Amino acid sequence: MRFRRRHATTEGGGGDPYWISFSDLMSALLVIFILAVVILVLQLTEKQRALAAEQETVREQRELFAAQVGTLREAELVRAEMLQEIQENLRAQGIEVIVSENNSVLSIPTALLGFESASYEIEEEFHDVSLAIGTAIADALAKDDRYKHLDTVFVEGHTDNVHFEGLEGTGNWGLSTFRAISLWRLWEEQLPQDKRLDSFVSTTGDPLFSTSGYAETRPATETQDTDAERAANRRIDIRFTVIRPSADDLSEIIELSGEGT
């Protein structure tokens, strides 16, 4: 007896149904793969945009910080030029003042002002020297409007460590303050109109100059065992402070830093 091999066929006479199912599966996987690639590309693109935005923020932050540092550096250079110029101007007149190492303080020794222990008045014999100092300061400030780089100029009085009980019990604090006031009043009353130091105004609209006293709290010498050492502490310091970045300026840099994180 003979048997005939029968081939499985679809009702429509087509091919293998298992092959068709596998083909559909591969197509579906391909579609999923393509979608995954698209999503990955979109994510990478978004990250690139975020990175570019962060880099731009960092760049702006650096530029703003560099601008603030540049402004501060320029102000410090201008201040140094002014103090050196004042010192050279006075030296040419035979008047020796001291400029601090960081070019921020002009120190006027007691030999130029005549402050004896417990005294604060500037005697008439020292007026010419005092006025010459005020004139040199005024000229340096007015040149090219360099005073606009300054925030405040402090006229600071100092004493030696000898206890003082006068001025209604204010002691050395009152004595040092009155020394600063005495020099300021002399300038205010006797400097020519075009050299008036009270005419200088800071960028905030406030008077540029102010007076203060520090008693014996900021000594100029390590010890005060001799008359010469004590005399060195009876002095006036003119402290020049430059304009520095404001709280708003710093806040802006901090805000930019926060945006970049």
Side-chain angles (χ1 to χ4, degrees), residues 190-206:
Q190 297 191 31
L191 281 176
Q193 188 65 34
D194 61 337
K195 308 294 183 183
R196 292 285 297 271
L197 296 174
D198 58 356
S199 66
F200 291 98
V201 179
S202 69
T203 55
T204 61
D206 299 318

Side-chain angles (χ1 to χ4, degrees), residues 113 115 119-122 127 130 154-158 167 170 173-190 197 209-214 235-238:
L113 301 172
F115 291 137
S119 71
Y120 62 86
E121 293 288 354
I122 299 177
H127 283 194
S130 300
F154 295 96
V155 181
E156 302 174 345
H158 300 270
L167 296 174
T170 59
W173 288 100
L175 179 60
S176 62
T177 302
F178 269 80
R179 283 175 177 168
I181 292 173
S182 292
L183 181 59
W184 177 253
R185 282 181 174 171
L186 181 65
W187 287 342
E188 194 175 35
E189 295 170 359
Q190 297 191 31
L197 296 174
F209 282 81
S210 67
T211 60
S212 57
Y214 290 94
R235 69 194 191 280
I236 296 289
D237 287 341
I238 313 296

Side-chain angles (χ1 to χ4, degrees), residues 39 50 56 83 90 116 121 124 132 151 177 184 192 195 210 233:
I39 292 172
E56 178 64 18
L83 267 69
L90 292 172
E116 296 296 335
E121 293 288 354
E124 188 172 355
D151 178 64
T177 302
W184 177 253
K195 308 294 183 183
S210 67
N233 286 279

Side-chain angles (χ1 to χ4, degrees), residues 201-232:
V201 179
S202 69
T203 55
T204 61
D206 299 318
L208 185 64
F209 282 81
S210 67
T211 60
S212 57
Y214 290 94
E216 71 277 11
T217 61
R218 296 186 178 183
T221 58
E222 292 184 3
T223 62
Q224 298 188 47
D225 298 329
T226 66
D227 289 341
E229 289 176 339
R230 286 188 288 271

Side-chain angles (χ1 to χ4, degrees), residues 18-37:
Y18 298 106
W19 174 253
I20 293 174
S21 297
F22 183 73
S23 176
D24 290 342
L25 178 60
M26 293 300 294
S27 297
L29 290 174
L30 181 60
V31 170
I32 294 173
F33 175 75
I34 293 173
L35 290 175
V37 171

